[in-house]
Amino acid sequence: MTLLTCLMDEPHALIPQMLSLMAVSVGALARRGVLGAASIRAAHDHSGHAVTQEDLLMPQYHDSRVYPLPTLPYRKELDAEQKALKEKEKGSWKQLSEAEKVALYRLQFKQTFAEMKRPSNEWKTVLGGAFAFIGFTGLIVWWQHAYVLPEKPHTLTDEWKAMQLKRMLDMRANPIQGLSSKWDYEKNEWKK
Amino acid sequence: MSAGLLPKPQMRGLLTKRLRFHMVGAFILSVGSGLLYKFGVAEPRKRAYTEFYKNFDPMKDFEAKKAAGVFQSVPSTES
């Protein structure tokens, strides 16, 4: 079931066929007891009977936004009361009460679309974790600046940069729209 | 059934409606961005160049550079 739930996180329309294909290979593994945990989870999901390894060979019920009407009903084994309700369903639906309609829905489906699409708080964990790691990286970067990186070249000192700028202005670099166009050559200062 | 029917949704012409919306939008955005660039970037640049070269004297420019001492092949006069 763990393999199947991985697929369920990215559902697509071929899931029921894929599930039956997967169930075949999964069943082969299950017979070797590899998917013991999977059987336990399937047992909790199902309506009450013990999940045998043969069950994993059959198509599974699966809630999916892109496959809204699953191949099987959610509850296949019905008690007497539920069976009676199913018989009543064969008649006119106008005689069904609201509670009965909801009960019939719940027999057929595990979760409503609203329940399926409910938001989770996972994004907070993701963002928090990402920022935590980025912060830790910041610490590493600071330590590198302090203990690893060599001295800055002399051409990055303020005096050298001033000499460099003066030379660029003397050469009239980019005189039309760029650097030298912003310099006032008469007053020897930047244009206002 | 629950009380009150929902209004009938649009059944036809869904692609047409979507296509019209997007074609109009695409046209407006592309023509608009073209015009924005022309009048925000291209025209000011053309004006700047004409202004610069209207009264540009290359010899005076050369003398100023020579005085500043930026040439390797021309001996500079200290300014």
Side-chain angles (χ1 to χ4, degrees), chain A residues 98 101 166-167 170-172 175-177, chain B residues 45 48-49 52-53 61 64-65 68 70:
Chain A
E98 278 295 317
K101 288 177 196 170
K166 174 155 180 29
R167 190 175 153 80
D170 289 339
M171 287 195 288
R172 309 295 193 272
I176 304 171
Q177 280 186 311
Chain B
R45 185 167 292 165
Y49 273 73
F52 179 81
Y53 283 112
D61 189 65
K65 287 176 183 166
V70 294

Side-chain angles (χ1 to χ4, degrees), chain A residues 20-163:
Chain A
S20 36
L21 282 174
M22 277 297 294
V24 171
S25 54
V26 154
L29 287 173
R31 252 183 243 111
R32 291 183 212 176
V34 169
L35 293 175
S39 320
I40 295 171
R41 265 218 252 170
H44 285 297
D45 278 347
H46 254 281
S47 48
H49 77 299
V51 174
T52 64
Q53 292 179 345
E54 276 65 38
D55 281 337
L56 295 170
L57 294 171
M58 305 304 290
Q60 308 269 342
Y61 175 84
H62 172 62
D63 280 318
S64 167
R65 286 159 73 169
V66 300
Y67 202 79
L69 298 174
T71 337
L72 324 160
Y74 176 47
R75 303 231 177 261
K76 287 191 290 297
E77 290 81 25
L78 307 172
D79 62 23
E81 187 190 326
Q82 290 167 335
K83 285 207 179 94
L85 191 55
K86 279 299 213 182
E87 286 300 316
K88 195 172 175 192
E89 191 192 14
K90 292 180 185 172
S92 167
W93 287 344
K94 291 206 202 306
Q95 16 143 326
L96 294 170
S97 71
E98 278 295 317
E100 285 174 331
K101 288 177 196 170
V102 171
L104 281 167
Y105 180 91
R106 289 290 174 186
L107 286 180
Q108 193 74 13
F109 299 102
K110 184 174 172 215
Q111 283 184 318
T112 65
F113 264 71
E115 289 162 10
M116 230 191 280
K117 287 158 63 169
R118 70 186 179 282
S120 75
N121 281 330
E122 188 186 2
W123 68 273
K124 297 178 193 170
T125 313
V126 170
L127 272 185
F131 288 143
F133 279 109
I134 290 171
F136 179 68
T137 309
L139 281 174
I140 295 181
V141 169
W142 165 80
W143 179 85
Q144 283 176 337
H145 275 274
Y147 292 101
V148 176
L149 296 181
E151 293 296 321
K152 281 206 199 139
H154 66 98
T155 51
L156 285 175
T157 58
D158 283 335
E159 298 83 32
W160 190 278
K161 286 187 344 191
M163 287 197 294

